[in-house]
Amino acid sequence: MATHPIIERAVQQQRTLLTETESKHVLHDLGIATTQSQLAPSASAAAHIAAAIGFPVVLKISSPDIIHKSDVGGVRLNVHNAAEVRRAYQEIVRNATAKAPEAHIEGVTVQPMAKPGVEVIIGMSKDPTFGPVLMFGLGGVLVEVLKDVAFRIVPLSQQDADDMMRDIQGFPLLQGHRGAPAVDRNALQRILLILSDFVANTPVVQEIDLNPVYAYHDGALVVDARLILEAASA
Ligand code: ADP
Ligand code: MG
């Protein structure tokens, strides 16, 4: 499997953090559904893209130097019209410049507002002993406070992918809680297996963070994504 051109370019430029737009592009090409985001270098470009996508949209800061976009006031959800887009663009850039003055800011990304789903998180990190390890957990407070996550070593079997979902305490939330429909575990399993294959074949990828992924009754959608590459050895 050839390395994705976006990854090749980043390696050549000696960059280790792929932006959300780049990361989602790679995922899309792997066959994983994402809220595709487009980079707008100006407020009017953002308004144009938003009009083309259709409202409501989400605007986020785009910078290779900013890992947590919300932490710098860099995310605006549910933006409803062109005037709001322009205002949100300026606010996001102002916030990010104030909170991260050193960061190179490319502009702001525009993407569709996703319909709510069960928030899950899927990640990959490298263990010094076991190599690439995939992680699955429920998003939001459950992962931040309760660390309710499961790990499996790459390559994953179908059984591994299924087991890791069953392993977490929050599993009942995936099965449908209080009358909510069960989520599409096959779609989540598919993402885990695609990533397992991808990281096994692309050793330069050091870390993957899909947070959140929205799990639906039918399908799953990656709403935020980050790929981190190995730093080039000197
Ligand atoms: P951060 O870099 O801070 O993790 P995110 O892209 O994850 O930024 O955005 C923060 C939160 O905003 C997400 O956890 C999610 O709840 C919400 N969000 C982000 N993108 C979308 C979207 N396209 N549709 C709906 N909600 C979104
Ligand atoms: Mg996120």
Side-chain angles (χ1 to χ4, degrees):
M1 188 166 74
T3 306
H4 194 285
I6 287 179
I7 295 178
E8 270 175 16
R9 185 181 62 198
V11 168
Q12 269 159 22
Q13 295 172 342
Q14 301 192 313
R15 284 192 295 129
T16 55
L17 175 69
L18 297 193
T19 61
E20 177 181 345
T21 306
E22 290 175 318
S23 303
K24 285 180 170 176
H25 200 137
V26 173
L27 294 170
H28 171 84
D29 291 346
L30 291 170
I32 296 174
T34 73
T35 45
Q36 288 284 94
S37 78
Q38 295 178 60
L39 177 64
S42 68
S44 27
H48 271 105
I49 294 169
I53 295 175
F55 294 99
V57 294
V58 174
L59 267 64
K60 303 183 192 178
I61 194 71
S62 183
S63 164
D65 307 311
I66 295 175
I67 291 193
H68 299 291
K69 300 173 291 289
S70 316
D71 289 356
V72 299
V75 178
R76 282 285 183 286
L77 305 175
N78 237 332
V79 181
H80 279 285
N81 56 54
E84 263 186 56
V85 168
R86 288 169 187 276
R87 198 159 49 236
Y89 185 102
Q90 310 295 0
E91 279 172 17
I92 286 173
V93 172
R94 197 177 328 118
N95 291 346
T97 311
K99 291 245 171 88
E102 310 289 298
H104 167 66
I105 290 168
E106 299 173 331
V108 166
T109 63
V110 186
Q111 64 188 273
M113 182 76 192
K115 70 174 160 74
V118 175
E119 272 192 40
V120 307
I121 155 170
I122 295 176
M124 187 280 291
S125 57
K126 285 193 175 164
D127 180 272
T129 308
F130 301 115
V133 173
L134 285 181
M135 185 202 65
F136 177 84
L138 285 174
V141 183
L142 285 166
V143 67
E144 279 161 28
V145 181
L146 302 177
K147 311 272 185 258
D148 182 20
V149 293
F151 296 91
R152 288 292 183 283
I153 298 169
V154 168
L156 262 67
S157 65
Q158 271 194 5
Q159 188 69 54
D160 288 333
D162 194 47
D163 285 348
M164 61 197 295
M165 289 187 268
R166 293 176 185 277
D167 271 5
I168 59 170
Q169 304 276 323
F171 180 63
L173 291 173
L174 300 178
Q175 290 177 297
H177 181 65
R178 297 204 172 163
V183 307
D184 186 348
R185 292 211 303 281
N186 284 333
L188 297 172
Q189 192 183 43
R190 191 174 158 272
I191 295 176
L192 288 164
L193 293 174
I194 289 176
L195 290 182
S196 169
D197 219 47
F198 170 61
V199 302
N201 289 299
T202 320
V204 71
V205 178
Q206 187 67 24
E207 207 179 300
I208 299 176
D209 191 16
L210 312 185
N211 181 16
V213 178
Y214 285 176
Y216 298 118
H217 174 59
D218 187 7
L221 189 62
V222 175
V223 164
D224 182 28
R226 172 169 73 239
L227 266 66
I228 295 180
L229 307 178
E230 236 167 47
S233 46

